[in-house]
Amino acid sequence: MPDSVNGLPLHPLVVHAVVVLLPLAALGVAALAVRPVWRGRFGWLVVLVSALATAAIPLATESGESLERRVGDPGRHAELGDQLIWFAVPLLVAAAALVWLHRRADRPAGDQPKAGPSALGVVVAVLAMVVAAANLVQVFRVGDSGAKAVWGDVPAATAEHGD
């Protein structure tokens, strides 16, 4: 994998895919968890966004390791970034589980009227909410540690003006 594009490090470019897609997937999973009627209409889209976000994480990690060889150890940022995949995979599983539950509930079950949400559905929805929240927190932690690795405790505007 190249470590730069037009002279710019690849890592900040790839990271933006993760920073946009993973929170979007987390919000999508949370929406599917609390609004089951949306699962049929938006479920596969949320699964797709979750899969793309999950696939982008190893690219971000690999490009980050290339950048690390050029500029030095980013400290805590690298550790947190390496952990992010372990948050994204359960999010993808939660998205797929919510869609699966919806498809399962839509199957004709003879003359039986549809009951309210099943116990399994409630458990999966609650777990999906927890996983979605954990992803949002972890994306923030990774991004915050990355910003601190680049800028330290100096705000960008202050560093720019030399104050």
Side-chain angles (χ1 to χ4, degrees), residues 39-161:
R39 294 175 191 170
R41 187 171 194 182
F42 302 110
W44 286 111
L45 178 61
V46 173
V47 170
L48 175 64
V49 172
S50 299
L52 291 172
T54 302
I57 292 169
L59 300 174
T61 302
E62 187 176 325
S63 65
E65 289 168 357
S66 294
L67 183 60
E68 181 178 351
R69 287 190 288 276
R70 288 178 52 195
V71 300
D73 184 8
R76 184 89 173 121
H77 176 65
E79 295 170 24
L80 292 171
D82 287 341
Q83 296 169 6
L84 191 57
I85 191 75
W86 302 111
F87 287 78
V89 168
L91 185 71
L92 176 57
V93 170
L98 289 168
V99 170
W100 175 78
L101 283 171
H102 176 75
R103 291 179 53 88
R104 185 173 156 237
D106 272 358
R107 280 192 214 137
D111 294 329
Q112 302 251 338
K114 281 191 178 180
S118 68
L120 177 61
V122 171
V123 169
V124 170
V126 169
L127 289 174
M129 291 296 291
V130 170
V131 168
N135 270 271
L136 292 172
V137 169
Q138 187 68 3
V139 168
F140 174 82
R141 292 177 67 212
V142 174
D144 183 60
S145 66
K148 287 178 179 170
V150 171
W151 296 103
D153 290 328
V154 180
T158 304
E160 197 174 289
H161 293 86

